[in-house]
Amino acid sequence: MGVKILFLICLLPHCVPFASSYQVKLLYSTVTGIIEFDFDTHSATVLLEHGSSGVYAIDYDYQNRYIYFPRYSYHDIVRFPYPSNNTTLQTVVQSLSYPTGIAVDSANDHIYWIDYYGSQLSRCNIDGSNVTVLSTFIHPWVIRLDVTNRWMYIVEQSTGILKSRFDLSDRRTITNFTSTPVYCMDIDTEENRLYWINYDGEMKSCKDDGSDVKTILSTNVSRAYYAIHVVGSYIYYANANQLLMLSKTSGSTPTVLYNDSSYIYSIFVFNQSDRENVPYSLLVLYR
């Protein structure tokens, strides 16, 4: 087995995650396309044009190597192979109302999604077969899965966050929002915490049982915040058309990674390396 030697260099004042050896990329959606941001070059490339539709979530099937996302105005869920030169969209599920949240459970070959207007949580096989409506909620928007511990978390945008087993047992509200609506949330599975941004521009966090609620950051701008993703030591989020990064360390200042010309609606950090064998601490380098 070959040995790789990694040199860590940090140029102040801003330290930006960099991983050219392991091909860590950040994917985000706008109203017309799925964009790939390269940490190495700080450039953004349009992967595909998905049509004029809201894409409020992106998730990835690492086992079969597909990106999945729902198209709000097209009433469907689509996928395309990634990384690949072929970005042809494949329809997975169609004839939905207005899908928003999506989560992939590769371990069990399932996809979960939120149908906003029907207030429904549904599931199907990874190829779109065996569509099943699992339950209804009050104004659901986001779904996130803790596959290891078999928990799902659902944001009801006007009330709070619900936690449930995959079979919908032990279902309960773990935190109530102080400002609504809330359109984004993510799980930090390393530290067992949830992160979200409310309409007042407050980035909040709590333990996965709803305790220890903290305010991480205040943007001081009231608007809809749609995109947040937590990986390793960093929080990636969008403020309108700005793509930003924030260390989880208390008192950190956000770094602007990129200014897009369009509003950003979802974020997903993709790691091409062998996630089972390479610790994340070795995957995030600094420039």
Side-chain angles (χ1 to χ4, degrees):
M1 180 181 295
V3 177
K4 291 185 178 179
I5 300 176
L6 307 180
F7 294 93
L8 306 185
I9 302 175
C10 182
L11 298 182
L12 299 177
H14 297 299
C15 299
V16 179
F18 168 69
S20 60
S21 298
Y22 293 104
Q23 294 301 305
V24 176
K25 300 290 180 70
L26 188 151
L27 309 178
Y28 66 91
S29 68
T30 65
V31 71
T32 58
I34 303 295
I35 318 297
E36 179 188 75
F37 175 78
D38 191 313
F39 287 109
D40 188 0
T41 63
H42 288 195
S43 61
T45 304
V46 177
L47 288 180
L48 62 86
E49 299 287 345
H50 58 67
S52 297
S53 177
V55 172
Y56 298 107
I58 300 172
D59 207 354
Y60 189 72
D61 176 7
Y62 279 97
Q63 181 171 312
N64 299 293
R65 301 169 69 84
Y66 278 95
I67 289 173
Y68 285 80
F69 59 92
R71 296 192 297 180
Y72 186 81
S73 301
Y74 283 80
H75 315 292
D76 62 10
I77 294 171
V78 294
R79 71 179 185 181
F80 66 95
Y82 181 84
S84 172
N85 291 325
N86 174 20
T87 57
T88 302
L89 284 180
Q90 303 172 16
T91 300
V92 180
V93 184
Q94 55 188 347
S95 301
L96 303 177
S97 60
Y98 291 90
T100 55
I102 191 170
V104 176
D105 176 9
S106 296
N108 295 283
D109 292 329
H110 284 150
I111 305 167
Y112 294 79
W113 71 91
I114 297 293
D115 232 340
Y116 177 65
Y117 270 44
S119 299
Q120 293 177 338
L121 169 66
S122 299
R123 184 187 68 199
C124 70
N125 295 333
I126 207 79
D127 61 358
S129 62
N130 194 27
V131 174
T132 304
V133 176
L134 299 178
S135 186
T136 58
F137 295 85
I138 302 171
H139 301 140
W141 191 268
V142 180
I143 178 170
R144 291 287 187 268
L145 303 180
D146 178 353
V147 176
T148 301
N149 297 302
R150 309 304 293 170
W151 288 106
M152 67 171 65
Y153 299 84
I154 293 174
V155 169
E156 292 190 319
Q157 57 168 287
S158 300
T159 54
I161 301 174
L162 290 92
K163 180 177 182 178
S164 170
R165 290 295 184 185
F166 279 31
D167 63 1
L168 297 179
S169 64
D170 198 10
R171 173 173 161 176
R172 59 192 186 273
T173 298
I174 59 170
T175 188
N176 294 302
F177 295 142
T178 57
S179 170
T180 58
V182 172
Y183 295 107
C184 66
M185 182 269 291
D186 199 23
I187 309 170
D188 176 4
T189 54
E190 292 184 9
E191 297 185 358
N192 300 315
R193 296 192 67 89
L194 309 180
Y195 291 81
W196 67 94
I197 308 174
N198 62 30
Y199 190 82
D200 287 338
E202 296 173 330
M203 182 184 293
K204 299 276 192 176
S205 176
C206 71
K207 292 183 179 180
D208 60 8
D209 62 0
S211 63
D212 191 31
V213 178
K214 298 178 180 178
T215 299
I216 306 300
L217 174 77
S218 294
T219 67
N220 300 313
V221 177
S222 294
R223 61 158 56 106
Y225 294 82
Y226 289 101
I228 189 170
H229 194 91
V230 183
V231 181
S233 300
Y234 293 92
I235 305 163
Y236 301 90
Y237 68 101
N239 186 352
N241 65 320
Q242 280 193 327
L243 185 63
L244 301 105
M245 176 194 74
L246 177 70
S247 171
K248 289 190 296 187
T249 304
S250 178
S252 298
T253 301
T255 297
V256 177
L257 297 175
Y258 191 74
N259 285 291
D260 202 286
S261 59
S262 300
Y263 215 101
I264 296 173
Y265 290 101
S266 60
I267 291 174
F268 181 80
V269 179
F270 169 79
N271 170 20
Q272 185 173 288
S273 69
D274 182 354
R275 295 171 66 89
E276 299 297 324
N277 299 319
V278 182
Y280 190 83
S281 59
L282 293 182
L283 298 179
V284 180
L285 311 183
Y286 298 87
R287 182 169 61 188

